[in-house]
C-alpha cells in the first residue's frame, strides 16, 4: 500500500465508531473483544486469551451527544459523556468487557456507571501500583494481573498458559519497537511523518490485531521514507497533556499548519507506555509487573516517587531536540491541569519556552488556538537562538 | 436570638485552638509536623510518634468560612493553576504563597513529612506532588489505598495497605521523628478511637428519631471535626463524643429538634438525605435555606468521608495495621458508585427520609462524576423526590444563592406534591 492508502485505511478505522472492524474480527475468529479506556492496559493478557483488545478513546467529534450529557454535569470533561453515548447507542455491544485503568476519579466513577448500566458486560477497574517496590506494589499488581488473566480465560473459555502469554508479550514487544522506530523517524525527519499521519497510525492501535498493526506500521515506514514531501521552516515542539481525552484530528492539523513540527507527544500513550521490552520468562505475569514498575513513561496518573517533576518531559524535549512545549489539556481534566504548573516550573528552570491551551474532543473551532501556537512558533523562530 | 453554647461546642473550640497553638510552636518545641489528608488519615500512628498533623483540606475549608478563599484561589491561579481544577488545592496553594497563616491567625509550620494517604481521591496525589515541589522536596511517603471497585475489601487490599504501613510509612516516621515505633502506644490510641467511634455512631443514628435532634449535614460537619482530624485516639476526643452524645440524648428525651445558628428548630417538615460536600463560602446562608423551610438533614455521605463506622467497622488494637488499612479502605469516596448508591438508599430508608438531595461540587470529580446517575437510580429505587443543586466547596464564584434557593423551593414543592399523591392514593 502507498502512504496515502495506509493513511486512508487508518482514517477509516478512526471513523469507525460503530466498531465494524471489531464485529468482523469477532465473526471471523469466533472469539471475543475487550474494550479499554486510556491510558494503559496490559493488552498482552487479552491477546493471550485469544481476544481482541479494543481501545475506546471516547467518540471525538464524530458523534452527536444526545443522551450522554444527561449523565454528566457541564464541569466534567467530555470523554465520559461520549463513552456513555457510545454505550447507550449500542455501539459498544460487540465488546464483551471494558477495562477502566486507574487514571483519575472520572474514569474510576465511570467504571461504576458501566457496572450499573451495562450489566451483561465484564467491567474491571484496574488499580495500578503507585508504590514501585517489587514486594509491595509489585505483589499487589501481580495479583491484579492474575485476576484479570483468569477472568479473560473464563470469558473466552480458554486456558491461558505461560507460552500463550510469552507469545503475546513477544508480539507486543515487536510492536513497541516498531512504534519507537516510527517516533524516531519522525523526530529526525518530521516532514516525512506529519503529526496527523502519525496520530492516525497510532489510533489504529486501538483496534487492529497486533500482527496486522505491526505490519502496517512497517509498511508505512518503508513507504514514507520514499515520499517527496516539502521541507518546512517549522519549529519543533513536544505536545503534552493529551494522554486521555484525545485532541480532534483537525486540531492536530491546525497545530502543524500554524508552523509546528510535533516531534514528540503523549497521545495514545498506552501503546508506548512500557519502555523497551517486557522480558520473556518463566513467569510472564511477573515480567509484566516488573516492566510496569521499572520501565514505563512518566505521566500525570503515575505517582512521581522521585520528586523530580518535569524531568521526563525535559528529557523528551532534549532527546527530540524540541524548541518548545505545547501544553494541551482537555477542559476540566484534573490530572493534566494539575500537572501543568509543576512541569512549567521545571521548564522555566531550563529556559524551555511553552504555551498552553485547553480543548475538548469535540471542539470545532481552532482559530484562536492556531493563532496562539502560530505566535509561539514565530517568537521561537525570532528569539530562539538569541 | 442568643444561642446557648453547649458544653461540647466549647470543648471542640478549645481542642482546635490548642492544636493550632501547638502547631505554631512546633518549630521552637522541636515537634515534627506531618501534612496529611482527612480520608484515610493515620492519626493514631502519627500521634504515636508525638508528631502533629496538618490537614490541608481543613485549612481550605476554614479559609472559606473566614472569607479568605477567593483571594487564595486567585493567588494560585496567578501562579498558573487552572480555573478548572479542585479549588481545595488552589486555596491551599494560595494560602501557602501568602504566608501560610492558619485558621487561628497563626503561621502554620512547614511540613517535616508529607504523608500522602492516597484514599478515595486522585487529586490528593497531584496536591502533594505540588506541595512537594513548593516545599523543595521534604520527605514524602505515598500510602496507596486501593479502590473498592468491586464493592468489597479483599485480603490482598488489606495486606497491601498494612504492608506499606509496616515497610514504608513506619520507617519514614521513625526517621523524621527520630523516635522508635511504639506498638503499645499505637494500641492504646486505637482502643480509644474505637470508644469514640461508638459514640459517634450513636450520635449520627439519633437522627432516626422524630423529630431528629441533630442536623446530620450542617450540624454533622461539626460533629465529625475532632474524630476526622487531629484528635482521634485521644482522651479529649473520647470526652467530646461522650459529652455530645449525652447532650443529644437529652434532646431526644425532650423531643427537641436540631440547634441551628438561629436557635432550635421548632418544626420538622422535611427529612432529607444529602450526598456531597457542603459549600463553605456561604455555609450559614446555605444552612438557613434549609432551616427556614423546616428541612432537616437526617443523614449525609459527607459525614462519612473520614470513615464509615455505622457498618460496624472500628479501629482495633488487636490488629493495629490491618484495622488502619481497613479504615483507609472503607472511607466513603473509596467506595465504588454502586456501593455509594446502596448506602444512600439504605440511609433514605433507615432514616425515613422524604427525599434526598445532591449538592454537586463543581471542582470535585471524586464526588461529582456520576452523581446524575446516582440521582436517577435513587429515584427509581426509593420513589422519593430527588433534588440536584450545584455549588463549590471554597470558590465563592460558584455559589449562586438565588439559583440554589429557587431550586430548593421547587424541590420542597415536589416533596409536597408527592405527599399529596400518596395521601390521595
Ligand atoms: S480527560 Fe482527564 S479528567 Fe477526563 S477522564 Fe481523562 S484523565 Fe480523567
Ligand atoms: S477533588 Fe474532591 S475529594 Fe479530592 S481533594 Fe478536591 S475536594 Fe477533596
Amino acid at each position: 500500500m502507498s502512504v496515502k492508502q495506509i493513511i486512508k485505511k487508518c482514517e477509516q478505522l478512526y471513523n469507525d465508531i460503530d466498531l465494524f472492524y471489531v464485529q468482523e474480527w469477532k465473526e471471523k475468529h469466533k472469539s471475543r473483544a475487550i474494550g479499554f479506556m486510556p491510558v494503559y492496559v496490559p493488552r498482552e493478557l487479552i491477546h493471550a486469551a485469544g481476544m481482541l483488545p479494543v481501545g475506546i478513546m471516547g467518540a471525538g467529534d464524530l458523534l452527536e451527544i444526545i443522551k450522554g450529557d444527561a449523565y454528566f454535569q457541564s464541569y466534567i470533561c467530555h470523554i465520559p459523556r461520549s463513552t456513555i453515548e457510545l454505550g447507550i447507542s449500542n455501539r459498544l455491544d460487540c465488546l464483551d468487557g471494558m477495562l477502566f485503568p486507574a487514571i483519575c476519579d472520572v474514569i474510576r466513577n465511570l467504571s461504576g456507571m458501566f457496572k450499573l448500566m451495562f450489566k451483561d458486560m465484564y467491567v474491571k477497574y484496574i488499580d495500578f501500583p503507585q508504590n514501585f517496590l517489587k514486594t509491595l506494589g509489585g505483589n499487589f499488581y501481580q495479583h491484579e494481573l492474575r485476576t484479570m488473566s483468569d477472568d479473560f480465560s473464563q470469558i473466552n473459555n480458554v486456558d491461558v498458559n505461560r507460552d500463550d502469554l510469552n507469545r503475546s508479550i513477544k508480539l507486543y514487544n515487536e510492536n513497541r519497537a516498531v512504534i519507537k522506530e516510527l517516533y524516531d523517524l519522525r523526530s529526525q525527519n518530521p516532514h516525512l511523518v506529519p503529526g496527523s499521519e502519525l496520530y492516525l497510525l497510532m489510533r489504529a492501535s486501538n483496534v487492529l490485531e497486533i500482527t496486522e498493526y505491526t505490519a502496517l506500521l512497517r509498511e508505512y515506514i518503508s513507504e514514507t521514507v520514499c515520499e517527496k514531501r516539502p521541507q518546512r521552516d517549522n519549529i519543533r515542539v513536544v505536545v503534552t497533556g493529551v494522554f486521555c481525552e484525545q485532541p480532534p484530528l483537525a486540531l492536530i492539523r491546525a497545530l502543524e499548519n500554524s508552523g509546528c513540527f510535533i516531534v514528540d507527544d503523549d497521545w495514545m500513550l498506552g501503546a508506548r507506555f512500557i519502555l523497551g521490552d517486557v522480558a520473556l520468562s518463566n513467569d510472564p505475569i511477573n515480567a509484566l509487573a516488573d516492566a510496569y514498575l521499572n520501565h514505563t513513561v512518566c505521566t500525570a496518573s503515575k505517582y512521581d516517587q522521585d520528586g523530580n517533576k518535569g524531568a521526563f518531559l525535559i528529557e523528551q524535549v532534549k532527546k527530540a531536540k524540541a524548541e518548545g512545549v505545547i501544553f494541551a489539556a482537555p477542559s476540566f481534566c484534573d490530572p493534566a491541569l494539575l500537572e501543568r504548573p509543576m512541569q512549567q516550573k521545571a521548564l522555566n528552570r531550563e529556559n524551555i519556552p511553552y504555551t498552553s491551551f485547553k480543548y475538548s474532543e469535540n471542539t470545532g473551532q481552532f482559530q484562536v488556538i492556531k493563532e496562539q501556537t502560530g505566535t509561539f512558533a514565530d517568537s521561537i523562530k525570532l528569539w530562539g537562538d538569541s | 436570638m442568643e444561642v446557648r453554647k453547649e458544653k461540647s461546642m466549647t470543648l471542640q473550640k478549645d481542642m482546635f485552638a490548642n492544636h493550632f497553638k501547638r502547631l505554631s510552636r512546633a518549630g521552637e518545641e522541636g515537634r515534627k509536623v506531618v501534612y496529611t489528608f482527612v480520608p484515610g488519615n493515620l492519626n493514631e500512628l502519627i500521634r504515636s510518634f508525638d508528631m502533629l498533623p496538618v490537614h490541608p483540606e481543613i485549612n481550605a475549608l476554614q479559609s472559606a468560612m473566614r472569607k479568605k478563599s477567593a483571594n487564595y484561589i486567585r493567588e494560585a491561579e496567578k501562579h498558573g493553576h487552572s480555573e478548572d481544577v479542585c479549588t481545595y488545592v488552589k486555596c491551599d496553594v494560595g494560602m501557602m504563597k501568602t504566608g501560610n497563616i492558619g485558621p487561628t491567625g497563626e503561621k502554620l509550620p512547614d511540613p517535616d513529612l508529607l504523608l500522602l494517604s492516597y484514599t478515595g481521591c486522585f487529586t490528593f496525589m497531584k496536591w502533594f506532588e505540588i506541595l512537594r515541589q513548593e516545599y523543595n522536596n521534604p520527605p514524602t511517603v505515598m500510602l496507596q489505598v486501593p479502590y473498592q471497585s468491586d464493592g468489597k475489601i479483599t485480603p490482598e487490599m488489606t495486606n497491601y495497605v498494612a504492608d506499606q504501613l509496616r515497610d514504608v510509612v513506619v520507617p519514614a516516621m521513625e526517621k523524621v521523628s527520630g523516635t522508635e515505633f511504639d506498638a503499645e502506644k499505637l494500641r492504646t490510641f486505637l482502643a480509644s478511637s474505637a470508644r469514640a467511634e461508638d459514640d459517634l455512631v450513636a450520635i449520627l443514628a439519633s437522627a432516626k428519631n422524630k423529630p431528629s435532634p441533630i442536623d446530620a449535614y450542617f450540624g454533622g460537619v461539626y460533629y465529625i471535626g475532632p474524630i476526622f482530624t487531629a484528635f482521634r485516639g485521644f482522651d479529649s476526643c473520647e470526652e467530646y463524643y461522650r459529652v455530645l452524645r449525652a447532650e443529644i440524648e437529652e434532646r431526644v428525651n425532650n423531643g427537641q429538634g436540631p440547634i441551628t445558628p438561629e436557635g432550635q428548630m421548632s418544626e420538622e417538615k422535611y427529612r432529607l438525605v444529602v450526598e456531597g460536600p457542603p459549600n463553605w463560602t456561604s455555609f450559614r446562608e446555605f444552612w438557613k435555606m434549609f432551616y427556614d423551610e423546616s428541612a432537616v438533614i437526617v443523614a449525609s455521605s459527607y459525614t462519612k468521608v473520614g470513615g464509615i463506622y455505622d457498618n460496624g467497622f472500628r479501629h482495633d488494637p488487636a490488629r493495629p495495621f490491618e484495622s488502619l488499612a481497613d479504615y483507609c479502605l472503607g472511607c466513603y469516596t473509596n467506595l465504588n458508585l454502586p456501593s455509594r448508591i446502596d448506602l444512600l438508599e439504605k440511609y433514605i430508608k433507615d432514616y425515613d427520609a422524604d427525599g434526598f438531595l445532591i449538592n454537586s461540587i463543581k471542582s470535585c470529580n471524586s464526588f461529582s462524576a456520576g452523581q446524575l446517575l446516582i440521582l436517577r437510580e435513587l429515584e427509581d429505587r426509593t420513589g422519593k423526590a430527588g433534588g440536584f443543586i450545584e455549588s463549590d466547596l471554597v470558590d465563592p464564584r460558584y455559589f449562586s444563592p438565588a439559583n440554589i434557593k429557587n431550586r430548593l423551593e421547587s424541590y420542597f414543592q415536589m416533596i409536597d406534591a408527592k405527599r399529596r399523591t400518596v395521601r390521595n392514593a
Side-chain angles (χ1 to χ4, degrees):
Chain A
M1 281 191 285
S2 67
V3 164
K4 217 166 153 195
Q5 285 165 323
I6 293 171
I7 295 304
K8 192 164 166 226
K9 176 176 172 153
C10 293
E11 197 154 3
Q12 272 164 0
L13 291 170
Y14 173 84
N15 289 324
D16 177 20
I17 54 168
D18 292 291
L19 301 178
F20 290 127
Y21 175 90
V22 180
Q23 293 172 35
E24 280 163 26
W25 186 93
K26 280 180 69 173
E27 189 57 36
K28 192 167 150 203
H29 294 85
K30 299 279 170 274
S31 185
R32 294 180 172 79
I34 302 287
F36 63 88
M37 298 288 297
V39 175
Y40 163 81
V41 302
R43 289 172 295 165
E44 292 87 340
L45 297 183
I46 305 170
H47 185 269
M51 298 189 285
L52 186 70
V54 181
I56 302 295
M57 310 282 129
D61 53 1
L62 302 169
L63 186 64
E64 192 191 345
I65 306 300
I66 297 163
K67 294 187 183 148
D69 280 340
Y71 289 86
F72 291 98
Q73 302 90 312
S74 55
Y75 37 81
I76 287 175
C77 59
H78 204 268
I79 183 171
R81 63 194 80 222
S82 66
T83 307
I84 286 283
E85 186 81 32
L86 287 170
I88 47 190
S89 60
N90 300 104
R91 290 179 167 89
L92 304 180
D93 284 3
C94 62
L95 301 177
D96 301 280
M98 270 292 275
L99 307 180
F100 295 83
I103 61 165
C104 75
D105 295 332
V106 175
I107 295 280
R108 182 193 78 174
N109 292 2
L110 187 63
S111 73
M113 293 174 74
F114 263 67
K115 272 184 197 284
L116 287 165
M117 294 174 68
F118 306 104
K119 293 208 160 70
D120 294 337
M121 200 183 243
Y122 167 79
V123 173
K124 165 91 182 137
Y125 174 81
I126 311 179
D127 230 342
F128 289 102
Q130 302 288 8
N131 169 296
F132 300 93
L133 293 172
K134 196 174 168 63
T135 49
L136 293 172
N139 277 349
F140 173 74
Y141 186 45
Q142 281 205 37
H143 178 77
E144 282 279 294
L145 290 170
R146 280 184 219 286
T147 308
M148 258 189 293
S149 187
D150 292 348
D151 290 349
F152 296 153
S153 296
Q154 214 177 353
I155 291 170
N156 211 26
N157 215 359
V158 292
D159 242 339
V160 177
N161 61 30
R162 187 187 60 194
D163 293 342
D164 298 326
L165 281 166
N166 273 331
R167 200 172 311 117
S168 299
I169 288 174
K170 189 163 170 281
L171 292 175
Y172 279 89
N173 281 346
E174 280 167 20
N175 183 258
R176 278 185 287 265
V178 180
I179 289 178
K180 184 170 181 310
E181 205 183 309
L182 177 66
Y183 268 73
D184 287 348
L185 173 66
R186 187 214 12 201
S187 168
Q188 281 146 21
N189 297 291
H191 70 289
L192 290 181
V193 188
S196 51
E197 287 188 9
L198 180 129
Y199 181 71
L200 284 169
L201 286 162
M202 292 301 287
R203 279 294 291 247
S205 74
N206 275 342
V207 283
L208 281 187
E209 198 281 323
I210 196 71
T211 40
E212 189 184 351
Y213 179 49
T214 303
L216 188 82
L217 293 178
R218 286 206 173 109
E219 201 174 346
Y220 175 86
I221 291 170
S222 61
E223 288 297 321
T224 200
V225 291
C226 308
E227 290 275 301
K228 297 234 173 327
R229 308 209 205 213
Q231 285 272 13
R232 286 178 206 274
D233 180 27
N234 284 359
I235 60 153
R236 299 167 63 88
V237 297
V238 171
V239 172
T240 192
V242 295
F243 47 82
C244 178
E245 181 174 317
Q246 299 291 291
L249 186 56
L251 173 57
I252 296 171
R253 291 196 173 118
L255 292 186
E256 292 193 301
N257 292 338
S258 74
C260 301
F261 277 138
I262 302 166
V263 287
D264 205 351
D265 58 69
D266 63 352
W267 58 51
M268 298 301 304
L269 192 59
R272 305 166 64 211
F273 205 83
I274 304 273
L275 301 169
D277 284 349
V278 177
L280 301 173
S281 73
N282 282 333
D283 188 350
I285 294 284
N286 178 42
L288 280 168
D290 242 29
Y292 188 90
L293 296 179
N294 302 313
H295 307 291
T296 43
V297 296
C298 290
T299 184
S301 57
K302 231 182 86 189
Y303 175 54
D304 169 31
Q305 60 168 347
D306 302 322
N308 210 352
K309 212 30 116 178
F312 188 84
L313 177 62
I314 290 166
E315 186 59 29
Q316 264 183 310
V317 169
K318 290 189 173 157
K319 239 164 118 181
K321 298 195 175 58
E323 295 153 283
V325 171
I326 293 181
F327 287 95
S331 295
F332 305 108
C333 174
D334 261 25
L337 291 168
L338 286 165
E339 186 83 354
R340 194 188 261 184
M342 292 185 271
Q343 293 193 317
Q344 291 180 341
K345 220 171 159 182
L347 293 187
N348 286 340
R349 281 198 297 267
E350 297 278 326
N351 283 324
I352 298 171
Y354 54 81
T355 187
S356 333
F357 62 80
K358 291 187 293 188
Y359 66 90
S360 144
E361 61 175 1
N362 65 341
T363 307
Q365 294 294 328
F366 310 110
Q367 200 46 38
V368 176
I369 294 176
K370 206 173 153 188
E371 275 166 24
Q372 185 188 335
T373 51
T375 310
F376 180 62
D378 290 344
S379 72
I380 287 183
K381 277 184 216 161
L382 212 56
W383 309 110
D385 295 330
S386 63
Chain B
M1 184 200 291
E2 186 56 32
V3 179
R4 185 169 61 95
K5 274 237 178 314
E6 302 279 331
K7 186 177 173 208
S8 62
M9 293 183 192
T10 316
L11 280 178
Q12 176 166 166
K13 201 161 172 253
D14 291 348
M15 286 161 89
F16 275 96
N18 287 339
H19 179 62
F20 281 102
K21 202 150 249 89
R22 289 178 83 202
L23 279 172
S24 70
R25 290 199 309 258
E28 42 194 277
E29 291 178 359
R31 206 183 293 274
K32 300 296 179 195
V33 172
V34 182
Y35 282 31
T36 195
F37 293 108
V38 169
N41 75 68
L42 303 170
N43 199 54
E44 298 85 349
L45 191 62
I46 296 170
R47 306 302 296 262
S48 78
F49 287 96
D50 209 16
M51 298 191 287
L52 293 173
V54 168
H55 305 93
E57 312 106 298
I58 305 295
N59 298 338
L61 76 86
Q62 298 267 13
S63 300
M65 286 177 120
R66 291 180 306 131
K67 310 281 176 214
K68 298 203 180 277
S69 56
N71 280 344
Y72 292 158
I73 290 169
R74 209 171 303 127
E75 183 69 23
E77 288 177 358
K78 241 171 46 200
H79 283 86
H81 289 269
S82 164
E83 67 267 31
D84 285 359
V85 301
C86 168
T87 46
Y88 262 9
V89 179
K90 285 188 287 184
C91 187
D92 185 43
V93 168
M95 182 174 117
M96 192 208 77
K97 293 269 183 204
T98 49
N100 224 15
I101 304 300
T104 49
E106 289 145 309
K107 189 179 178 328
L108 289 171
D110 287 358
D112 297 296
L113 176 69
L114 292 174
L115 172 57
L116 204 185
S117 57
Y118 187 44
T119 303
C121 170
F122 169 82
T123 298
F124 285 172
M125 185 164 83
K126 295 291 108 185
W127 191 342
F128 268 24
E129 284 178 349
I130 290 170
L131 289 193
R132 190 180 191 182
Q133 195 186 45
E134 292 290 344
Y135 284 109
N136 289 325
N137 247 333
T140 306
V141 179
M142 149 68 83
L143 173 69
Q144 182 184 10
V145 177
Y147 182 55
Q148 281 200 45
S149 57
D150 291 326
K152 58 177 191 283
I153 298 174
T154 63
E156 288 76 19
M157 290 155 99
T158 303
N159 291 341
Y160 179 35
V161 180
D163 288 346
Q164 289 176 81
L165 290 174
R166 276 188 208 95
D167 298 354
V168 182
V169 177
V170 164
M173 287 184 173
E174 285 184 322
K175 198 163 165 204
V176 167
S177 67
T179 315
E180 214 174 295
F181 170 58
D182 181 343
E184 217 29 64
K185 205 167 171 187
L186 176 63
R187 283 203 190 93
T188 310
F189 283 147
L190 291 172
S192 162
S193 298
R195 289 190 290 270
E197 285 154 7
D198 283 343
D199 285 333
L200 175 71
V201 170
I203 288 159
L204 294 178
S206 72
K208 287 178 184 164
N209 288 287
K210 287 187 184 173
S212 167
I214 60 165
D215 186 291
Y217 186 52
F218 296 105
V221 299
Y222 290 100
Y223 304 149
I224 55 176
I227 205 162
F228 278 13
T229 60
F231 309 99
R232 206 180 60 227
F234 279 74
D235 291 346
S236 58
C237 185
E238 278 192 65
E239 189 199 354
Y240 170 77
Y241 285 99
R242 226 177 10 247
V243 169
L244 178 63
R245 182 176 178 175
E247 287 169 359
I248 288 168
E249 278 168 359
E250 198 188 318
R251 303 185 68 75
V252 175
N253 291 336
N254 297 337
Q256 290 169 304
I259 303 173
T260 73
E262 293 184 43
Q264 186 184 304
M265 250 176 89
S266 48
E267 191 193 2
E268 179 184 283
K269 209 162 144 200
Y270 307 105
R271 294 169 65 83
L272 305 177
V273 169
V274 171
E275 143 77 8
N279 160 272
W280 300 112
T281 50
S282 304
F283 186 78
R284 287 279 174 94
E285 192 181 352
F286 192 28
W287 190 353
K288 190 170 164 47
M289 290 180 197
F290 289 81
Y291 62 72
D292 276 355
E293 297 286 342
S294 302
V296 59
I297 317 302
V298 288
S300 66
S301 54
Y302 189 66
T303 49
K304 309 292 170 346
V305 287
I308 302 180
Y309 297 105
D310 49 4
N311 58 5
F313 169 81
R314 295 289 179 275
H315 283 87
D316 181 358
R319 334 162 37 238
F321 289 118
E322 284 70 20
S323 84
L324 279 170
D326 287 346
Y327 158 71
C328 296
L329 286 155
C331 292
Y332 179 72
T333 44
N334 205 45
L335 304 185
N336 73 358
L337 215 75
S339 307
R340 278 170 65 188
I341 296 172
D342 291 345
L343 191 70
L344 290 164
E345 182 189 359
K346 186 170 153 36
Y347 287 157
I348 293 165
K349 290 183 176 153
D350 290 357
Y351 286 78
D352 197 15
D354 300 302
F356 59 94
L357 185 76
I358 296 177
N359 181 32
S360 183
I361 296 296
K362 181 186 173 286
S363 63
C364 175
N365 283 345
S366 176
F367 261 101
S368 302
Q371 275 176 332
L372 286 163
L373 182 63
I374 294 182
L375 177 77
R376 283 176 186 212
E377 282 280 322
L378 286 177
E379 275 176 342
D380 284 354
R381 291 190 198 178
T382 66
K384 304 275 175 164
F388 200 86
I389 51 175
E390 295 172 328
S391 68
D392 190 61
L393 289 156
V394 293
D395 193 334
R397 290 174 295 189
Y398 303 117
F399 185 81
S400 153
N403 199 310
I404 294 177
K405 208 165 177 350
N406 265 341
R407 285 214 187 184
L408 283 177
E409 274 165 13
S410 333
Y411 176 61
F412 292 130
Q413 283 166 11
M414 194 158 99
I415 297 182
D416 290 338
K418 281 214 180 230
R419 277 185 181 150
R420 277 196 300 273
T421 325
V422 173
R423 264 204 306 271
N424 296 339

